Amino acid sequence: MINNSADDLELVAALEAKFTQLQRVISGGCTFSLSKTTQSRAIATLNVAVPPTDTIVISLLDSGGKLCSWYNGPIKLAIAETATNGTAAISPASTTPNMTNGVYTVVVSYGYSSTGWANGDAATLTVSDPDTPAGIAGRAISDATFVMSAITGS
């Protein structure tokens, strides 16, 4: 039996918040949100001994734009580059990491060989739901991407 004690009211409020979030997930699914989706980098900064890095915070959001802090499960990451002599890698290196409370942070780093990065080269980080039939919370989630473009200028 629920009486109106402060503890009971807090419990009811917490349950209502969880049910609201669950309803948003069921009605509209979730989306990946990236802290940034594009970055232009000057070739001169990429073809050096210590090139810059890009830190990307990945968040899982419900249809109302609220963080899915209940999600502590896998996502899938892929890194690729279109450069002949430029390279890109992620750290941590896992391509199937687990989010914690709906968030995961990855660092994209760049390297080069021989002539290095050229104008128009790009590196792409793709974030997708895990390779399971159910996706996340029974829903397939659209991929999200971050693209670094190598440019001649600054």
Side-chain angles (χ1 to χ4, degrees):
M1 178 172 171
I2 295 179
N3 56 33
N4 288 326
S5 74
D7 289 342
D8 290 340
L9 293 175
E10 285 179 25
L11 175 62
V12 169
L15 287 172
E16 286 176 347
K18 291 292 181 191
F19 283 129
T20 298
Q21 190 172 42
L22 181 60
Q23 183 180 16
R24 284 186 182 134
V25 170
I26 291 170
S27 66
C30 297
T31 59
F32 289 116
S33 174
L34 306 182
S35 57
K36 61 181 166 179
T37 57
T38 61
Q39 177 70 58
S40 294
R41 296 273 182 206
I43 295 167
T45 66
L46 291 169
N47 296 333
V48 295
V50 183
T53 60
D54 288 300
T55 300
I56 310 299
V57 178
I58 304 161
S59 302
L60 184 64
L61 305 179
D62 67 20
S63 62
K66 304 271 188 199
L67 180 66
C68 295
S69 58
W70 51 266
Y71 187 68
N72 294 301
I75 58 173
K76 187 175 176 184
L77 302 178
I79 187 76
E81 66 278 321
T82 60
T84 302
N85 293 304
T87 61
I90 56 173
S91 178
S94 175
T95 57
T96 54
N98 283 325
M99 293 186 113
T100 301
N101 300 322
V103 177
Y104 186 77
T105 301
V106 64
V107 176
V108 181
S109 58
Y110 310 102
Y112 70 98
S113 61
S114 66
T115 58
W117 291 85
N119 190 51
D121 287 348
T124 303
L125 170 70
T126 303
V127 181
S128 54
D129 64 8
D131 288 333
T132 61
I136 295 175
R139 301 280 201 167
I141 299 176
S142 296
D143 293 354
T145 57
F146 162 76
V147 178
M148 184 285 295
S149 300
I151 59 173
T152 304
S154 55

